[in-house]
Amino acid sequence: MRKIFLSKWTKAVVFVACLLPLGSLGWDALHNGLTANPIEYITHTTGDWTLRFLLITLVITPLRKILAPELIRLRRMLGLFAFFYGCLHFLTYIWLDKFFDLAEMWKDIYKRPYITIGFLAFTLLIPLAITSSAGWIRLLGGRRWQILHRAIYISAVAGVIHYYWLVKSAVIRPLTYGAIVGVLLLWRLADRFWPRSGAMQAALKSQP
Ligand code: HEM
């Protein structure tokens, strides 16, 4: 198992796999598969994948303890893909939905709570994406870097609330995502009571 996670091919395969949702969207676009409401379809697909990648990134920490520490090598890439799909999601909204009408966008952020919280979820990911490199870990110090990167939990919770508030009746999926974030948060809290060592090395090891 460890050999697989250490292989340079694993990273490449995961990278390509992470691009599949985008590829699928491109395929749909080329084959008239974007439904009668393409903007809604793209918004929903990119929103779904932003949340999924956030959860996949969060699940790496417990999995690396249970399965193999080498899994940490994938965390940064998965987190950046969450940000990437978040950018596409936000871009769809501001470009295709609002035609770069910033006044209209601010009105939405101010008036529609699900947009406000979605915006918060996305904004929180920006400093995390910027500081995801090994250079930033060194600059901030492992401890401060880790504290900053806990914001991914707040972003995931905000993303779930954003989803829950925008659906009218189909609450099963947002509630399922919420339950997963809840379990991961509980695991994290429990993990605080376990002896931890080499936090800085673990953070540095996660970088390419
Ligand atoms: C980390 C940040 C975000 C996450 C995880 C996220 C996630 C989601 C999810 C899961 C959906 C529903 C997809 C579905 O129904 O299958 C959605 C829809 C949507 N999101 Fe986001 N989102 C985020 C940020 C934003 C931002 C910043 C905006 C705009 C400022 C935004 C605007 C929308 C809109 C307009 C919809 C469709 C609403 C509708 O169907 O009426 N989201 N998002």
Side-chain angles (χ1 to χ4, degrees), residues 40 43-44 47-48 50-51 54 89-90 93 97 109 114-115 118-119 121-122 125 155 159 162-163 166 168 173:
E40 190 182 273
T43 310
H44 285 201
D48 275 338
T50 306
L51 197 49
L54 275 177
H89 185 57
F90 183 56
Y93 167 80
D97 206 359
I109 292 174
Y114 85 86
I115 295 283
F119 192 70
F122 177 67
L125 292 180
S155 178
H162 165 69
Y163 191 6
L166 71 87
K168 270 108 205 158
R173 265 168 68 185

Coordinates of all heavy atoms in Angstrom, one line a residue, residues 40 43-44 47-48 50-51 54 89-90 93 97 109 114-115 118-119 121-122 125 155 159 162-163 166 168 173, ligand 1:
E40 N -27.4 26.7 -14.9 CA -27.7 26.0 -13.6 C -26.9 24.7 -13.5 O -26.4 24.4 -12.5 CB -29.2 25.8 -13.6 CG -29.7 25.3 -12.3 CD -31.2 25.0 -12.3 OE1 -32.0 25.9 -12.1 OE2 -31.5 23.8 -12.6
T43 N -23.3 25.5 -12.7 CA -23.2 25.9 -11.3 C -23.3 24.7 -10.4 O -22.5 24.6 -9.4 CB -24.3 27.0 -11.0 OG1 -24.3 28.0 -12.0 CG2 -24.1 27.6 -9.7
H44 N -24.3 23.9 -10.6 CA -24.5 22.8 -9.7 C -23.4 21.8 -9.8 O -22.9 21.3 -8.7 CB -25.9 22.1 -10.1 CG -27.0 22.8 -9.6 ND1 -28.3 22.3 -9.4 CD2 -27.2 24.2 -9.3 CE1 -29.1 23.3 -8.9 NE2 -28.5 24.4 -8.9
G47 N -20.3 23.3 -8.1 CA -20.6 23.4 -6.7 C -20.4 22.1 -6.0 O -19.8 22.0 -4.9
D48 N -21.1 21.1 -6.6 CA -21.0 19.7 -6.1 C -19.5 19.3 -5.9 O -19.1 18.8 -4.9 CB -21.7 18.7 -7.0 CG -23.2 18.6 -6.7 OD1 -23.6 19.0 -5.6 OD2 -23.9 18.2 -7.7
T50 N -16.8 21.1 -5.8 CA -16.0 21.9 -4.8 C -16.2 21.3 -3.4 O -15.2 21.0 -2.7 CB -16.6 23.4 -4.8 OG1 -16.5 23.9 -6.1 CG2 -15.7 24.2 -3.9
L51 N -17.5 21.0 -3.1 CA -17.7 20.4 -1.8 C -17.1 19.0 -1.7 O -16.5 18.6 -0.6 CB -19.3 20.3 -1.6 CG -19.7 20.2 -0.1 CD1 -19.1 21.1 0.8 CD2 -21.2 20.4 0.0
L54 N -13.5 19.3 -1.1 CA -13.2 19.7 0.3 C -13.2 18.5 1.2 O -12.4 18.4 2.1 CB -14.2 20.8 0.7 CG -13.9 22.2 0.3 CD1 -15.1 23.1 0.7 CD2 -12.6 22.7 0.9
H89 N -16.8 27.5 -10.0 CA -18.2 27.7 -9.5 C -18.5 29.2 -9.4 O -19.5 29.7 -9.9 CB -18.2 27.0 -8.2 CG -19.6 26.9 -7.5 ND1 -20.7 26.4 -8.1 CD2 -20.0 27.4 -6.3 CE1 -21.7 26.5 -7.3 NE2 -21.3 27.1 -6.2
F90 N -17.5 29.9 -8.8 CA -17.7 31.3 -8.6 C -17.7 32.1 -9.9 O -18.5 33.0 -10.1 CB -16.6 31.8 -7.6 CG -16.7 33.3 -7.3 CD1 -17.8 33.8 -6.7 CD2 -15.6 34.1 -7.6 CE1 -17.9 35.1 -6.4 CE2 -15.7 35.5 -7.2 CZ -16.9 36.0 -6.7
Y93 N -20.9 31.8 -11.6 CA -21.9 32.7 -11.0 C -21.7 34.1 -11.5 O -22.5 34.8 -12.0 CB -21.8 32.6 -9.5 CG -22.5 33.7 -8.8 CD1 -23.9 33.6 -8.6 CD2 -21.8 34.8 -8.3 CE1 -24.5 34.6 -7.9 CE2 -22.5 35.8 -7.6 CZ -23.8 35.7 -7.4 OH -24.5 36.7 -6.7
D97 N -23.8 34.1 -14.9 CA -25.1 34.4 -14.2 C -25.2 35.9 -14.0 O -26.3 36.5 -14.3 CB -25.1 33.7 -12.8 CG -26.5 33.5 -12.3 OD1 -27.4 33.8 -13.0 OD2 -26.6 32.9 -11.2
I109 N -25.0 39.0 -2.4 CA -24.3 38.6 -1.2 C -24.9 39.1 0.1 O -25.0 38.5 1.1 CB -22.8 39.0 -1.3 CG1 -22.1 38.2 -2.4 CG2 -22.0 38.8 0.0 CD1 -20.7 38.6 -2.7
Y114 N -27.8 32.3 1.5 CA -27.0 31.2 1.0 C -25.8 31.6 0.1 O -24.8 31.0 0.1 CB -27.9 30.2 0.3 CG -28.2 30.4 -1.2 CD1 -27.3 30.0 -2.2 CD2 -29.4 31.1 -1.6 CE1 -27.6 30.2 -3.5 CE2 -29.6 31.3 -2.9 CZ -28.7 30.9 -3.9 OH -29.0 31.1 -5.2
I115 N -26.0 32.8 -0.5 CA -24.9 33.4 -1.3 C -23.8 33.9 -0.3 O -22.6 33.7 -0.5 CB -25.4 34.5 -2.3 CG1 -26.3 33.9 -3.3 CG2 -24.2 35.2 -2.9 CD1 -25.7 33.1 -4.4
G118 N -21.9 31.1 1.0 CA -21.1 30.4 -0.1 C -19.9 31.3 -0.3 O -18.8 30.8 -0.5
F119 N -20.1 32.6 -0.3 CA -19.0 33.6 -0.6 C -17.9 33.4 0.6 O -16.7 33.4 0.3 CB -19.6 35.0 -0.6 CG -18.6 36.0 -1.1 CD1 -18.2 36.0 -2.5 CD2 -18.0 37.0 -0.3 CE1 -17.3 36.9 -3.0 CE2 -17.1 37.9 -0.8 CZ -16.8 37.9 -2.1
A121 N -17.4 30.8 2.4 CA -16.7 29.5 2.2 C -15.6 29.6 1.1 O -14.5 29.1 1.3 CB -17.7 28.4 1.7
F122 N -15.9 30.3 0.0 CA -14.9 30.4 -1.0 C -13.8 31.4 -0.6 O -12.6 31.0 -0.9 CB -15.6 31.0 -2.3 CG -14.7 31.2 -3.4 CD1 -14.1 30.2 -4.1 CD2 -14.4 32.5 -3.9 CE1 -13.2 30.4 -5.1 CE2 -13.5 32.7 -4.9 CZ -12.9 31.7 -5.5
L125 N -11.0 29.9 1.3 CA -10.1 29.0 0.6 C -8.9 29.8 0.0 O -7.9 29.2 -0.3 CB -10.8 28.2 -0.5 CG -11.9 27.2 0.0 CD1 -12.5 26.5 -1.2 CD2 -11.2 26.1 0.9
S155 N -14.6 26.4 6.1 CA -15.0 26.5 4.7 C -16.0 25.4 4.4 O -17.0 25.6 3.7 CB -13.8 26.5 3.8 OG -14.3 26.5 2.5
G159 N -19.8 25.6 3.4 CA -20.2 25.1 2.1 C -21.4 24.2 2.2 O -22.4 24.2 1.4
H162 N -24.4 26.5 2.9 CA -24.7 27.1 1.7 C -25.6 26.1 0.8 O -26.7 26.5 0.3 CB -23.4 27.4 0.9 CG -23.5 27.7 -0.5 ND1 -24.0 28.8 -1.0 CD2 -23.0 27.0 -1.6 CE1 -23.9 28.8 -2.3 NE2 -23.3 27.7 -2.7
Y163 N -25.2 24.9 0.8 CA -26.0 23.9 0.0 C -27.3 23.6 0.7 O -28.4 23.6 0.0 CB -25.2 22.6 0.0 CG -25.6 21.5 -1.0 CD1 -26.7 21.7 -1.9 CD2 -25.0 20.3 -1.0 CE1 -27.1 20.7 -2.7 CE2 -25.4 19.3 -1.9 CZ -26.5 19.5 -2.7 OH -26.9 18.5 -3.6
L166 N -29.8 26.5 0.1 CA -30.3 26.7 -1.3 C -31.3 25.6 -1.8 O -32.1 25.9 -2.7 CB -29.1 26.9 -2.3 CG -28.3 25.7 -2.7 CD1 -28.8 25.0 -3.9 CD2 -26.9 26.3 -3.0
K168 N -34.6 23.4 -1.7 CA -35.9 23.6 -1.1 C -36.4 22.4 -0.3 O -36.8 22.5 0.8 CB -36.9 24.0 -2.2 CG -37.0 25.5 -2.5 CD -36.4 25.8 -3.8 CE -35.9 27.3 -3.8 NZ -34.9 27.5 -4.8
R173 N -28.9 15.1 0.5 CA -27.5 15.3 0.1 C -26.7 16.3 1.0 O -25.7 15.9 1.5 CB -27.4 15.5 -1.4 CG -27.1 14.2 -2.1 CD -27.2 14.3 -3.5 NE -26.1 15.1 -4.1 CZ -26.1 15.4 -5.4 NH1 -27.0 15.0 -6.2 NH2 -25.1 16.1 -5.8
Ligands
HEM1 C1 -16.4 26.7 -1.0 C2 -17.4 27.4 -1.6 C3 -18.6 26.8 -2.2 C4 -19.1 25.5 -2.2 C5 -18.5 24.3 -1.5 C6 -20.4 25.5 -2.9 C7 -21.2 24.4 -3.1 C8 -22.4 24.4 -3.8 C9 -23.2 23.3 -4.0 C10 -22.9 21.9 -3.4 C11 -24.3 23.7 -4.7 C12 -25.5 22.8 -5.1 C13 -25.2 21.9 -6.2 C14 -26.4 21.0 -6.5 O1 -27.6 21.4 -6.3 O2 -26.2 19.9 -6.9 C15 -24.1 25.1 -5.0 C16 -25.0 25.8 -5.7 C17 -24.9 27.2 -6.0 N1 -23.9 28.0 -5.5 FE1 -22.3 27.4 -4.4 N2 -20.6 26.8 -3.4 C18 -19.6 27.6 -2.9 C19 -19.4 28.9 -3.2 C20 -20.3 29.7 -3.9 C21 -20.2 31.1 -4.2 C22 -19.0 32.0 -3.7 C23 -21.3 31.5 -4.9 C24 -21.6 32.9 -5.4 C25 -21.2 34.0 -4.9 C26 -22.1 30.4 -5.0 C27 -23.3 30.4 -5.7 C28 -24.1 29.3 -6.0 C29 -25.3 29.3 -6.7 C30 -26.0 30.5 -7.4 C31 -25.8 28.0 -6.7 C32 -27.1 27.5 -7.4 C33 -28.3 27.9 -6.6 C34 -29.6 27.4 -7.2 O3 -29.7 26.3 -7.7 O4 -30.6 28.2 -7.1 N3 -21.5 29.3 -4.4 N4 -23.0 25.5 -4.5

